[in-house]
Amino acid sequence: TREVEVAVSRDCATALQPGRVLVASRNFANDATFEIKKCDLHRLEEGPPVTTVLTREDGLKYYRMMQTVRRMELKADQLYKQKIIRGFCHLCDGQEACCVGLEAGINPTDHLITAYRAHGFTFTRGLSVREILAELTGRKGGCAKGKGGSMHMYAKNFYGGNGIVGAQVPLGAGIALACKYNGKDEVCLTLYGDGAANQGQIFEAYNMAALWKLPCIFICENNRYGMGTSVERAAASTDYYKRGDFIPGLRVDGMDILCVREATKFAAAYCRSGKGPILMELQTYRYHGHSMSDPGVSYRTREEIQEVRSKSDPIMLLKDRMVNSNLASVEELKEIDVEVRKEIEDAAQFATADPEPPLEELGYHIYSSDPPFEVRGANQWIKFKSVS
Amino acid sequence: MAFVAAAAGWLLRLRAAGAEGHWRRFHGVGLARGFLHPSATVEDAAQRRQVAHFTFQPDPEPREYGQTQKMNLFQSITSALDNSLAKDPTAVIFGEDVAFGGVFRCTVGLRDKYGKDRVFNTPLCEQGIVGFGIGIAVTGATAIAEIQFADYIFPAFDQIVNEAAKYRYRSGDLFNCGSLTIRSPWGCVGHGALYHSQSPEAFFAHCPGIKVVIPRSPFQAKGLLLSCIEDKNPCIFFEPKILYRAAAEQVPIEPYNIPLSQAEVIQEGSDVTLVAWGTQVHVIREVASMAKEKLGVSCEVIDLRTIIPWDVDTVCKNADPFSLGLYPTGKMKEETNNLY
């Protein structure tokens, strides 16, 4: 009996060690098939498939990316409240499935442009958390050298980050024209929100894209509120996927990353085949208010926010799916959480400690000019050089 | 230091222009040119703070308009709008988020008091808001449109310049949209960056047919806004957002008018004329007192109030054409030596 006890206690000791030992000894499935919600269609005979295969590798990647975006946004919240981040800060926690899912459905050579709720997209398009947080704190290690801030972050094939509502949509149509012209089979994802969907220039962009069959995927991130105004109070038609009228559209569950991925693949294939633009409405939700100056509870109830968090949280949905289909274990995902937390902490440390851009750079890049252009400051003796 | 330098710069230019009269005094002052140049401005953090500094200077309590109450800028705007809606049954207020009171609380309580058919929200569409406002005004109703930040006025630029400004002229006075007033928060606030800080009055200052008005204080704001609303020409009323809470003074409860296209001489002076509008008026007042104290210069301070059509007579009255300084507010600084 004593030998058995020793054996049992040794097994327990093994089980109590950190995840790595357990992982090595477990057998995970390589992939699993999931059913996803059918998309509502407008002017389309067929939509994206209703089942999809998720590999373990992809699942872990999406989980890590979504968790990074979530933690990064929460860290930005914390830094803002400590007044280390100033100005305006629009957070996208709750909408992680949109940015990660869209990225999963396109190639890095495709193009993306969005409005001001852009931190998640900046990350998924390839920038590091360090660069993003340093940009938020306005330091020279930031991706826009500390001069852009929250709403103006850019990366390769990611055109920002735009403050004026709706202004980015005609830009996106223009980028799509360039894609078509260059003939490299690239598409442009042009995002806007439910509030922006009522701007006139969006309809101008729809017309141009459809007329010239541009490979533009218009994407309305419908998080139900345009700042503090609910969609019913702002739009005569809240079927945003139909608002393109002559442009085919699909309405997608934006809280389910697999749904978003499949819809994006479908839409990208549609555009790449030369059929012209397509419109996607992602039904999603943001937990924070419009920006850090908005508590977010004067126009919606805490119960509503809580309900979405408990029933439709995108990270929770992916985690449940993976664990239940034996694609990953709870401990493994917890390990990822710990790693992500550390990465964010390090990035926040850097963002807080990095120096601000030097004052001489205030006037840089106003014009592109050789020799540098001289710019006047607040009075005629303060001069800055616009070096470019 | 920057302000003294700014004012002092004028003295140097005046000498160069060879203006007659009072200037002869300064030939002998013997101040080194370097004394007046803020050499360390760029590096010195204290200097940097000063560039954005101002102290709101309230005007003395007005006695001629009846009972007054202490109001800050947004409260004085609410009071003006309240008076307008009470007096004029055709007046309506609309814009983004005005129904709950507005993002700067300028329309608090008005929807409850006057009803949701008179104070209502629009969707997010500036061009639509102004175009729609022109339409209401053309039928004779009083339209008070709000553009949430002056930075967002540009989609409506075409409607303002091409439609509103030219309506009366092109219809031979058959139609007009004179009962349109567009209100918008304006100017830098410290943390607004590119799109919550702009002062776009210069874009409109060259468009005949509209009036552009910028108040410096709550008392001025209420009187000028009421005048804009009652004026028979389309008006744009820019409200310095940094003063919404920072500026408080005694403001009459009853309606009163301050005439448009009339500049106000806030302080008489004999040597230099300083012209400003909006928040910058308070900066210039400090400059004037510093100039008096440190240089013995007597400055005349004028608040332009209406940017277009502007009060040429008051501004030119005491100044000869070569000695005029214009200090536009916010980010832009222009100087001109000649008046047309």
Side-chain angles (χ1 to χ4, degrees):
Chain A
T1 341
R2 266 192 67 183
E3 284 166 308
V4 172
E5 275 173 20
V6 167
V8 165
S9 67
R10 209 185 308 127
D11 275 341
C12 289
T14 315
L16 288 167
Q17 267 177 25
R20 244 184 289 158
V21 177
L22 283 166
V23 167
S25 66
R26 274 196 48 180
N27 267 330
F28 289 113
N30 221 14
D31 55 49
T33 310
F34 295 104
E35 274 181 22
I36 50 179
K37 221 191 271 183
K38 187 169 177 334
C39 296
D40 295 323
L41 302 174
H42 169 70
R43 287 188 190 263
L44 282 169
E45 293 299 321
E46 275 174 25
V50 291
T51 59
T52 180
V53 172
L54 175 67
T55 64
R56 178 178 140 78
E57 190 189 328
D58 278 345
L60 289 172
K61 185 174 79 174
Y62 301 156
Y63 182 84
R64 180 182 287 270
M65 283 173 86
M66 288 206 288
Q67 194 67 277
T68 308
V69 174
R70 172 70 58 93
R71 291 271 123 224
M72 180 176 73
E73 296 296 77
L74 294 178
K75 177 55 72 174
D77 171 281
Q78 196 185 21
L79 289 173
Y80 193 91
K81 289 181 175 140
Q82 292 173 324
K83 292 195 193 274
I84 298 174
I85 296 177
R86 314 299 302 275
F88 295 97
C89 194
H90 307 86
L91 301 176
C92 67
D93 53 319
Q95 299 183 202
E96 296 86 359
C98 295
C99 46
V100 179
L102 285 172
E103 190 63 33
I106 55 171
N107 305 324
T109 47
D110 289 321
H111 307 262
L112 197 148
I113 186 170
T114 183
Y116 47 76
R117 207 173 295 282
H119 307 162
F121 289 102
T122 318
F123 174 72
T124 54
R125 284 261 93 190
L127 288 192
S128 67
V129 182
R130 267 167 82 100
E131 287 172 291
I132 296 172
L133 285 181
E135 187 57 41
L136 286 175
T137 54
R139 308 303 163 98
K140 66 178 182 28
C143 51
K145 307 187 179 67
K147 288 168 66 176
S150 165
M151 291 192 270
H152 306 109
M153 299 192 194
Y154 302 83
K156 187 165 197 307
N157 293 341
F158 173 56
Y159 303 83
N162 293 281
I164 299 292
V165 172
Q168 75 279 8
V169 179
L171 252 89
I175 298 167
L177 177 74
C179 292
K180 180 166 176 168
Y181 189 91
N182 287 330
K184 289 198 224 143
D185 238 11
E186 291 162 5
V187 297
C188 179
L189 274 61
T190 304
L191 284 93
Y192 55 94
D194 46 280
N198 302 314
Q199 272 272 332
Q201 46 195 328
I202 303 214
F203 295 89
E204 291 179 16
Y206 288 162
N207 184 48
M208 287 193 280
L211 190 64
W212 300 323
K213 291 205 165 26
L214 304 179
C216 188
I217 308 177
F218 293 103
I219 301 172
C220 178
E221 262 184 302
N222 177 5
N223 59 21
R224 305 195 216 166
Y225 298 94
M227 212 159 81
T229 306
S230 71
V231 292
E232 298 80 42
R233 293 196 298 127
S237 160
T238 53
D239 291 331
Y240 293 101
Y241 70 110
K242 289 187 187 165
R243 295 278 286 270
D245 187 19
F246 36 77
I247 298 182
L250 46 149
R251 179 154 58 188
V252 181
D253 178 3
M255 303 302 263
D256 176 1
I257 188 184
L258 297 178
C259 210
V260 176
R261 182 183 75 168
E262 287 313 307
T264 311
K265 283 187 183 164
F266 174 86
Y270 182 94
C271 282
R272 283 190 235 275
S273 67
K275 296 197 190 109
I278 190 170
L279 213 162
M280 263 167 57
E281 178 189 338
L282 301 178
Q283 290 187 305
T284 182
Y285 199 82
R286 52 165 163 82
Y287 298 144
H288 268 87
H290 164 73
S291 70
M292 286 304 299
S293 11
D294 171 23
V297 287
S298 52
Y299 47 85
R300 53 185 191 174
T301 59
R302 285 187 207 272
E303 288 78 42
E304 181 189 289
I305 306 173
Q306 210 25 59
E307 199 191 328
V308 176
R309 244 193 230 277
S310 54
K311 295 216 183 94
S312 326
D313 183 274
I315 300 180
M316 179 192 78
L317 288 178
L318 180 66
K319 179 171 165 180
D320 289 345
R321 271 189 167 139
M322 287 181 68
V323 166
N324 293 340
S325 325
N326 201 27
L327 286 174
S329 69
V330 175
E331 293 79 13
E332 187 179 12
L333 297 179
K334 273 208 175 54
E335 241 190 64
I336 295 182
D337 288 351
V338 168
E339 283 168 19
V340 164
R341 255 181 235 264
K342 176 145 195 326
E343 185 189 344
I344 304 291
E345 268 313 315
D346 288 344
Q349 220 5 70
F350 171 72
T352 316
D354 201 36
E356 284 179 357
L359 200 56
E360 297 83 62
E361 287 186 19
L362 191 64
Y364 281 14
H365 310 300
I366 293 176
Y367 277 102
S368 168
S369 170
D370 186 18
F373 188 89
E374 219 163 47
V375 178
R376 206 188 101 147
N379 68 48
Q380 58 258 61
W381 289 280
I382 302 176
K383 292 254 193 266
F384 300 107
K385 284 204 185 304
S386 174
V387 169
S388 204
Chain B
M1 192 58 191
F3 316 121
V4 178
W10 274 108
L11 304 178
L12 297 166
R13 291 186 72 163
L14 290 160
R15 276 172 60 181
E20 295 293 310
H22 316 289
W23 311 115
R24 296 223 177 265
R25 279 201 275 146
F26 295 101
H27 280 262
V29 168
L31 288 169
R33 197 182 162 93
F35 170 76
L36 298 168
H37 284 234
S39 51
T41 310
V42 173
E43 277 78 49
D44 190 6
Q47 303 287 2
R48 269 191 293 164
R49 288 284 168 272
Q50 267 199 313
V51 173
H53 157 85
F54 75 97
T55 310
F56 170 69
Q57 309 201 20
D59 286 326
E61 181 179 349
R63 301 253 170 234
E64 61 271 46
Y65 299 113
Q67 196 194 351
T68 66
Q69 189 184 321
K70 183 135 191 219
M71 294 187 208
N72 60 27
L73 186 65
F74 73 75
Q75 288 164 338
S76 70
I77 303 287
T78 315
S79 175
L81 295 173
D82 193 356
N83 292 148
S84 293
L85 265 64
K87 261 197 305 184
D88 180 351
T90 70
V92 287
I93 299 176
F94 51 94
E96 291 158 28
D97 299 307
V98 298
F100 86 96
V103 287
F104 291 107
R105 305 172 66 83
C106 294
T107 48
V108 169
L110 297 178
R111 185 175 166 99
D112 291 335
K113 193 166 173 188
Y114 295 102
K116 57 184 168 67
D117 55 333
R118 295 185 70 190
V119 180
F120 54 91
N121 283 339
T122 59
L124 216 167
C125 45
E126 287 75 19
Q127 188 174 22
I129 291 169
V130 173
F132 177 81
I134 295 172
I136 297 180
V138 165
T139 64
T142 301
I144 306 168
E146 177 182 297
I147 299 289
Q148 196 159 81
F149 282 87
D151 314 54
Y152 308 156
I153 205 166
F154 302 112
F157 195 80
D158 173 67
Q159 285 287 343
I160 295 170
V161 167
N162 280 332
E163 304 301 319
K166 297 168 171 59
Y167 220 117
R168 190 189 290 276
Y169 183 86
R170 73 188 187 203
S171 66
D173 206 16
L174 196 59
F175 287 102
N176 71 80
C177 56
S179 54
L180 171 67
T181 304
I182 301 167
R183 294 178 35 243
S184 192
W186 166 102
C188 67
V189 71
H191 56 272
L194 293 167
Y195 303 118
H196 294 79
S197 314
Q198 290 178 41
S199 309
E201 68 275 17
F203 293 112
F204 299 98
H206 307 279
C207 175
I210 53 171
K211 296 193 177 183
V212 177
V213 178
I214 308 180
R216 69 168 186 273
S217 71
F219 170 73
Q220 295 286 319
K222 178 169 168 174
L224 289 168
L225 180 56
L226 283 167
S227 297
C228 283
I229 293 171
E230 288 158 23
D231 191 280
K232 298 203 189 327
N233 295 288
C235 296
I236 306 179
F237 187 77
F238 286 125
E239 302 161 2
K241 61 173 88 66
I242 200 172
L243 296 179
Y244 273 139
R245 287 177 195 268
E249 59 183 3
Q250 297 292 119
V251 180
I253 300 174
E254 292 302 308
Y256 60 97
N257 290 79
I258 294 180
L260 300 184
S261 294
Q262 258 193 40
E264 184 182 349
V265 180
I266 297 176
Q267 188 182 299
E268 303 254 349
S270 52
D271 299 331
V272 188
T273 303
L274 305 176
V275 182
W277 52 87
T279 319
Q280 200 73 345
V281 173
H282 306 292
V283 172
I284 288 298
R285 272 167 136 162
E286 271 189 64
V287 172
S289 57
M290 284 173 89
K292 181 89 197 152
E293 200 183 295
K294 298 195 191 213
L295 300 172
V297 175
S298 157
C299 298
E300 177 141 309
V301 177
I302 297 183
D303 177 4
L304 196 60
R305 301 200 292 203
T306 303
I307 309 303
I308 176 181
W310 62 287
D311 187 354
V312 182
D313 292 333
T314 303
V315 173
C316 283
K317 190 167 58 138
N318 291 333
D320 70 73
F322 293 104
S323 61
L324 191 54
L326 286 166
Y327 283 82
T329 180
K331 295 191 215 165
M332 291 175 341
K333 290 232 172 219
E334 279 171 60
E335 284 147 36
T336 176
N337 271 344
N338 287 310
L339 292 175
Y340 55 91

